[in-house]
Amino acid sequence: MISKADSQTALTMLWTRALMAEAGLPADLWQIVAGPGAVVGTALVDAVDFVCFTGSTATGRTVAERAARRLIGASLELGGKNPLIVRADADVAAAAAGTVVAAFANTGQMCIHIERVYVHEKVYDAFRAELVRATQALRLGRSYDYSADIGSLTSAAQLAAVEAHVDGAVAKGATVLAGGHARPDIGPLFYEPTVLEGVTPEMAVCDEETFGPVLSLYVYGADSEAVGLANQGTYGLSASIWSKDSREAGRMAARIRAGSVNINDGAAAAAGSVEAGMGGMGESGLGRRHGAEGIRKYTESQTVATQRLLPLGPPKPGQSAVESFVRRTNGQLALLRRLRVR
């Protein structure tokens, strides 16, 4: 197996590889390569038997096209604009606390993080107040200990993308309920965890993946409306529903176009269920990782058939032989059906 490390996080993967070697993993079993995706990634896709890619939808299309030219399989976990629904019967405090974690942990830089929150009108005001309070209580910091809740973005380009989404939304009428500013006083790539209200479709932050600590808040009136809003857009990676009625939430989950739907959890429950498949629908990707499918996708199935006793076709040519074969075979099938033998 060969892993191509992201250029921004190569040391993490190399360190993991070193730890695996210390644990006894054979040296040749897992190799690491690093470098620009356009160079190293392209060469890798041209050499392997199967490619599993995690990254942006745009790059995923390029990977899929290159794999298709070689007729090799590809599994793609791509972008997301993940929704969270707060039903009228939800525990507002728990839902707000879960939303903060689901949206702002890792500074919002995971494909399964929540970026859209749809709240029932009966609990909207209470939820908004609790969410804003919890968001404003988060501590930004650049330390490597546990004294901070929110860290840095990974690059200047990502900071610029976050600023463009927030500033563009505000310019078109959105309201900032919390955050909304870069924090160069803490570090060059810090941005406050941000909650927006009044986001409309003409704003980029409405449908485009932000991949940063930015959350948009919306109100809805009926569960069917919430499902429709959650299914808006082209992505379908992860979703979340908060409700005291887990059975009804499960029925709603079945109508949401997403590879994973978490009930009373933001994202970790499905991602941590390693026996269950994880992946996206629509522009969020192809294939699944985790579970049996996550392993079998790397293999090729083969059928070996050995025929014993009677042949599957007429023993010899001729109309009478064929008719006799059909009658005999139908009789055998009828007997097997009565005996319930497959």
Side-chain angles (χ1 to χ4, degrees):
M1 185 176 75
I2 302 175
S3 293
K4 191 273 180 194
D6 187 287
S7 298
Q8 298 174 98
T9 58
L11 293 179
T12 301
M13 185 171 285
L14 290 168
W15 187 21
T16 304
R17 175 63 185 83
L19 293 173
M20 293 295 288
E22 289 182 23
L25 186 77
D28 294 335
L29 185 59
W30 181 25
Q31 301 294 318
I32 308 295
V33 295
V39 178
V40 178
T42 297
L44 198 61
V45 177
D46 288 345
V48 298
D49 300 313
F50 188 98
V51 57
C52 180
F53 172 78
T54 300
S56 71
T57 298
T59 304
R61 285 195 174 97
T62 300
V63 171
E65 290 170 359
R66 199 165 193 94
R69 286 199 292 269
R70 296 190 55 229
L71 296 180
I72 64 170
S75 177
L76 313 169
E77 184 172 313
L78 309 178
K81 191 70 177 178
N82 307 306
L84 183 149
I85 296 171
V86 181
R87 297 187 71 235
D89 68 341
D91 182 324
V92 170
T99 301
V100 166
V101 174
F104 301 134
N106 296 299
T107 322
Q109 297 169 110
M110 287 186 67
C111 54
I112 58 175
H113 276 155
I114 295 298
E115 296 194 8
R116 300 179 285 152
V117 179
Y118 300 102
V119 187
H120 194 278
E121 58 190 6
K122 290 183 178 179
V123 295
Y124 183 83
D125 290 340
F127 177 86
R128 177 178 57 183
E130 187 65 24
L131 177 68
V132 170
R133 184 203 62 77
T135 300
Q136 292 175 336
L138 294 171
R139 302 164 298 174
L140 278 72
R142 56 189 299 173
S143 63
Y144 288 104
D145 57 22
Y146 296 99
S147 62
D149 302 308
I150 303 293
S152 173
L153 290 165
T154 57
S155 68
Q158 194 57 41
L159 174 62
V162 170
E163 289 182 311
H165 271 194
V166 175
D167 294 347
V170 171
K172 293 181 180 178
T175 301
V176 176
L177 299 180
H181 300 95
R183 292 295 301 275
D185 56 310
I186 301 175
L189 303 179
F190 277 79
Y191 197 90
E192 295 173 337
T194 300
V195 179
L196 298 175
E197 187 179 54
V199 172
T200 54
E202 66 269 15
M203 302 172 188
V205 74
C206 183
D207 294 320
E208 296 179 13
E209 184 179 33
T210 305
F211 210 70
V214 179
L215 194 62
S216 299
L217 203 55
Y218 307 85
V219 63
Y220 76 90
D223 285 347
S224 58
E225 180 188 0
V227 170
L229 291 168
N231 286 337
Q232 282 184 347
T234 56
Y235 292 115
L237 185 58
S238 183
S240 174
I241 302 173
W242 290 77
S243 172
K244 293 177 181 177
D245 187 342
S246 57
R247 182 172 296 181
E248 184 58 35
R251 284 193 284 266
M252 288 180 66
R255 296 158 55 198
I256 293 178
R257 190 186 70 253
S260 299
V261 181
N262 299 265
I263 296 175
N264 293 329
D265 183 83
S273 300
V274 295
E275 295 297 325
M278 179 182 174
M281 301 179 183
E283 292 193 359
S284 288
L286 302 169
R288 295 293 182 267
R289 64 182 182 184
H290 297 178
E293 184 178 350
I295 295 297
R296 290 173 181 160
K297 69 184 180 186
Y298 293 107
T299 68
E300 289 278 13
S301 64
Q302 180 189 53
T303 299
V304 177
T306 301
Q307 180 61 30
R308 296 181 176 88
L309 301 178
L310 297 176
L312 289 181
K316 58 183 179 179
Q319 183 175 354
S320 60
V322 172
E323 292 174 351
S324 175
F325 170 78
V326 170
R327 287 194 300 271
R328 185 171 64 251
T329 300
N330 285 339
Q332 292 170 344
L333 292 174
L335 176 62
L336 291 174
R337 189 178 302 111
R338 286 196 296 271
L339 296 175
R340 297 184 178 182
V341 177
R342 296 186 65 184

